[in-house]
Amino acid sequence: DVRYLGISARNIGKQAGKMLNDEMKKRGWKPEETGLCAVTFDELDTCRERTEGAIEAILAAGFPKDRVFKAPQKTTDIPGAFDAANVLLTQHPEIERWLICSVNDTGVMGAVRAMEGRSFAVENMIGVGIGGVDSKVEFGKEKPTGFFGSIMLTPRRHGYDTAEMLYKWIKDGVEPPPATYTTGIETTRENYLSYMKEQGL
């Protein structure tokens, strides 16, 4: 009987997967010559749903399943992702272009650091994180890195919409739906500052 308003982890992941696929096509990469590095943390349902959503979206777009590689991390931070990605890169030295997704921004940042350490060019990495706040570290750097974008969560909408639904339910008897799922905002170096300001971040 409890109403819910919040993110759908899988749908947020799908947004990240779509953003990766769109940028890959824009750059003219051939999927059969590209690898997807999915930095995972399946111990938590939300984390698993995010990466599974990203993988699901990119496979639906025609990306070959045998080019999807999971890199399980022990901790959901930069060092954990760095170590996980390093193992994967050792296993697949033949891949020269990588898409990167993870449960959050720092997971992608760790994988990007691992690839930089192996002399991958910025042009051969496309990383899309989830969260939007930690991405400002990458976007704020003077030169672009392999961290291409992030799906920014929308805290202002969560607070505003929840308060509005409660108000209308109490005052006017307008019962909110059982569940309302929000989407995220696609951010890059070019637009992140305006969206962060808009969200009060």
Side-chain angles (χ1 to χ4, degrees):
D1 294 334
V2 177
R3 301 301 187 264
Y4 173 81
L5 184 147
I7 65 171
S8 164
R10 183 168 287 266
N11 286 339
I12 292 291
K14 286 182 179 180
Q15 279 190 271
K18 180 183 180 301
M19 194 173 181
L20 282 168
N21 186 67
D22 289 347
E23 182 60 19
M24 178 183 69
K25 286 186 174 180
K26 185 178 177 182
R27 296 188 190 187
W29 291 10
K30 295 181 179 179
E32 63 273 14
E33 297 175 359
T34 305
L36 172 64
C37 168
V39 181
T40 61
F41 191 79
D42 288 349
E43 289 81 355
L44 291 178
D45 287 344
T46 298
C47 293
R48 186 180 67 255
E49 286 288 312
R50 288 182 179 188
T51 48
E52 289 298 326
I55 293 169
E56 184 180 325
I58 206 160
L59 289 178
F63 195 82
K65 190 174 183 179
D66 63 354
R67 305 295 289 180
V68 174
F69 306 99
K70 291 186 176 182
Q73 57 183 337
K74 293 181 180 178
T75 55
T76 56
D77 53 17
I78 293 175
F82 179 90
D83 292 341
N86 257 324
V87 171
L88 181 60
L89 293 172
T90 299
Q91 294 170 339
H92 295 282
E94 77 283 1
I95 298 176
E96 298 179 358
R97 289 176 173 168
W98 285 99
L99 306 177
I100 310 164
C101 67
S102 185
V103 303
N104 53 23
D105 288 338
T106 54
V108 173
M109 290 162 66
V112 167
R113 296 292 88 81
M115 292 182 189
E116 289 172 343
R118 291 174 180 251
S119 300
F120 278 83
V122 171
E123 295 77 16
N124 291 332
M125 294 181 270
I126 304 172
V128 174
I130 294 175
V133 178
D134 292 323
S135 63
K136 65 183 180 182
V137 175
E138 294 294 296
F139 293 153
K141 291 182 177 179
E142 184 178 350
K143 294 182 179 180
T145 71
F147 190 104
F148 172 76
S150 179
I151 306 301
M152 180 183 289
L153 306 182
T154 52
R156 177 160 290 191
R157 181 183 169 195
H158 292 165
Y160 185 93
D161 288 4
T162 299
E164 183 180 46
M165 285 180 176
L166 279 171
Y167 177 80
K168 289 181 178 179
W169 195 2
I170 294 167
K171 181 178 179 292
D172 304 323
V174 179
E175 188 173 333
T180 301
Y181 294 108
T182 63
T183 55
I185 302 168
E186 293 186 10
T187 60
T188 62
R189 285 174 67 90
E190 287 70 33
N191 64 22
Y192 83 102
L193 285 175
S194 61
Y195 282 126
M196 289 189 79
K197 183 177 180 181
E198 180 185 286
Q199 292 298 315
L201 300 171

